[in-house]
Amino acid sequence: MNRAPPVWARRDGAGWLLELHVQPGAKVTAAVGEHGGRLKLKIAAPAVDNKANAHLLAWLAAQLGVVKSAVRLVRGDTSRQKTVAVSGVETPWLDIGKNSKT
């Protein structure tokens, strides 16, 4: 199994920064590949009243098996291009998408 991080995941101290391209308003939440050097995610929540961001962070925490407080939005609050900080997991890219559809 490949343990080398993809281009969209980089170490940040003890945690990781994940570069994401997020498409809100999808029927299901899923990792759908890469887009412009970022992991592309479709999110089953509208981009209204921060719902897509909240859903994204909760979905990532569930995918990675960490508490919600271990996942936080660093950049891109109102953009599709987001940077998320994750702690408490060694190889996040191996866990995202295992149970991709929610």
Side-chain angles (χ1 to χ4, degrees), residues 17 25 29 34-35 38 41 53 58 75 83 92 98:
L17 289 177
T29 298
E34 290 188 14
H35 177 81
R38 294 171 178 266
L41 300 174
N53 286 339
R75 273 189 300 278
T83 303
K98 272 189 196 170

Side-chain angles (χ1 to χ4, degrees), residues 19-96:
E19 301 292 339
L20 308 174
H21 178 84
V22 178
Q23 182 179 335
K27 290 187 183 212
V28 295
T29 298
V32 294
E34 290 188 14
H35 177 81
R38 294 171 178 266
L39 176 64
K40 183 174 181 180
L41 300 174
K42 289 188 176 185
I43 301 296
V48 178
D49 297 331
N50 210 33
K51 288 180 183 176
N53 286 339
H55 182 81
L56 167 68
L57 297 178
W59 183 81
L60 282 172
Q63 289 285 302
L64 299 171
V66 297
V67 294
K68 287 183 188 176
S69 62
V71 181
R72 63 186 174 83
L73 187 61
V74 177
R75 273 189 300 278
D77 189 44
T78 59
S79 170
R80 287 182 178 215
Q81 311 292 315
K82 300 186 184 298
T83 303
V84 174
V86 178
S87 59
V89 63
E90 275 306 303
T91 52
W93 59 94
L94 296 179
D95 295 323
I96 296 172

Side-chain angles (χ1 to χ4, degrees), residues 2-10 16-18 34 37 39 92-94:
N2 185 6
R3 295 186 63 83
V7 65
W8 48 265
R10 69 181 190 274
W16 290 93
L17 289 177
L18 307 179
E34 290 188 14
L39 176 64
W93 59 94
L94 296 179

